[in-house]
Amino acid sequence: MTKLGRTALRYAKMLRWPIVPLHWVDDAGHCSCGDPACRAAGKHPLIADWPRRATNDPATLARWWQKWPLANLGVALGDGHVVLDVDPRHGGDEALADLEATHEPLPPTPTVLTGGGGTHYHFAAPPDTPTVTLAPGLELKAAGAQVVLPPSRSAAGLYQWDAGAHVADLPLAPLPDWLLALAHQVRRSPGQRSTELPPVITEGARNRWLASLAGTLRRRGCSEAEILACLRILNVSRCQPPLDERELAKIARSIARYAPACPPDAPAPRSRRRIIHLGVIHAE
Ligand SMILES: [Zn+2]
């Protein structure tokens, strides 16, 4: 068995963590999913329904890594195990430094360096801890999320336990109270709405998301044909299952009835923008 497979078994045995096999990258950095433009190369699950199928059963893990010897390792979070994900490319390191200055420094806890400059702090937390974006580049990942584990490799490099903060040497620290309180506060705050597209848009949310995107494109002056072309791409890459072509055409057509609110030389009046945004939200 490969080192990845052996390590999966070790995490399962030592920590009882539910492990998920992830796609991997080749030497050129291409994701094994085959999508040349994959946005999560080597970081997304190989199996469908992974939150339910993630396991610490040695026989299942052995079978998976025999089938996919190069598969990267992920751990399904929740159930008392959370990760603070710091992405410095989006300012997460500064946001965390500000929070630590206001509250207190994070306690020593198992820590992964992601190879791309990011850091994952693994913590123990109550089971109802929410998955939330605390600040740009700073996310608390819990139930419904997974993170990549060492010794996986993505296009950006090798995932490694930080020296002195290896999970074999250090127990998970409890998530600091101030961080837990902040997570619940952000979750409750009605003004908090992520503008980021979720990686997977499921039935029930597809129409709303695509209509909202179409509205954004229209505000920037896109034509019906341009909007429809974008919707087709996003429909295939994000929607599970994809919406049918007639629905896409309907969204593009209804959004394009509105005048582009932002011609190159003049910003739209606020009321117009709101109409476009709210105008075409179909119920699924
Ligand atoms: Zn991929």
Side-chain angles (χ1 to χ4, degrees):
M1 195 181 297
T2 54
K3 185 180 178 190
L4 286 158
R6 288 196 308 274
T7 313
L9 286 168
R10 204 173 317 136
Y11 286 130
K13 186 173 175 204
M14 185 174 75
L15 303 158
R16 317 297 302 162
W17 282 355
I19 301 296
V20 189
L22 307 180
H23 278 282
W24 64 92
V25 292
D26 63 18
D27 291 341
H30 296 131
C31 186
S32 59
C33 70
D35 176 359
C38 179
R39 288 160 41 98
K43 300 181 192 179
H44 61 110
L46 259 167
I47 54 172
D49 198 16
W50 62 266
R52 197 180 57 78
R53 291 172 64 199
T55 185
N56 53 30
D57 172 50
T60 307
L61 294 174
R63 202 172 62 239
W64 281 344
W65 266 272
Q66 266 150 22
K67 187 173 177 187
W68 304 297
L70 300 176
N72 278 336
L73 306 176
V75 55
L77 299 169
D79 205 17
H81 179 191
V82 303
V83 164
L84 182 65
D85 180 358
V86 185
D87 180 359
R89 287 169 310 171
H90 295 101
D93 50 348
E94 285 154 27
L96 178 59
D98 285 350
L99 285 170
E100 286 185 299
T102 309
H103 300 275
E104 59 184 2
L106 296 180
T109 198
T111 304
V112 171
L113 308 176
T114 69
T119 311
H120 291 168
Y121 297 95
H122 288 251
F123 286 106
D128 66 340
T129 305
T131 293
V132 284
T133 298
L134 301 169
L138 190 64
E139 198 178 351
L140 188 66
K141 293 185 164 168
Q146 57 92 14
V147 290
V148 182
L149 291 173
S152 305
R153 184 180 288 281
S154 75
L158 188 66
Y159 284 73
Q160 291 176 291
W161 290 103
D162 195 5
H166 195 292
V167 73
D169 305 327
L170 198 62
L172 299 192
L175 185 70
D177 286 342
W178 61 266
L179 209 40
L180 183 61
L182 181 64
H184 282 294
Q185 186 192 328
V186 168
R187 179 66 178 278
R188 275 194 307 270
S189 151
Q192 174 82 13
R193 203 168 137 262
S194 174
T195 54
E196 234 172 66
L197 264 179
V200 174
I201 304 168
T202 50
E203 218 166 341
R206 297 170 303 177
N207 248 315
R208 179 166 49 84
W209 269 107
L210 292 176
S212 157
L213 275 160
T216 303
L217 292 167
R218 187 60 175 165
R219 285 197 296 280
R220 304 295 293 265
C222 286
S223 68
E224 181 180 338
E226 287 166 333
I227 292 170
L228 183 56
C230 291
L231 293 186
R232 280 184 182 134
I233 292 170
L234 285 157
N235 187 41
V236 171
S237 61
R238 307 269 183 151
C239 293
Q240 280 185 13
L243 219 51
D244 72 43
E245 172 70 23
R246 265 184 326 195
E247 284 294 310
L248 297 182
K250 203 157 95 185
I251 295 172
R253 195 166 53 241
S254 34
I255 291 285
R257 280 183 324 195
Y258 298 97
C262 287
D265 52 344
R270 187 146 184 88
S271 57
R272 167 71 61 81
R273 284 194 220 164
R274 197 167 302 141
I275 289 167
I276 289 180
H277 191 70
L278 298 176
V280 191
I281 297 177
H282 305 278
E284 276 200 272

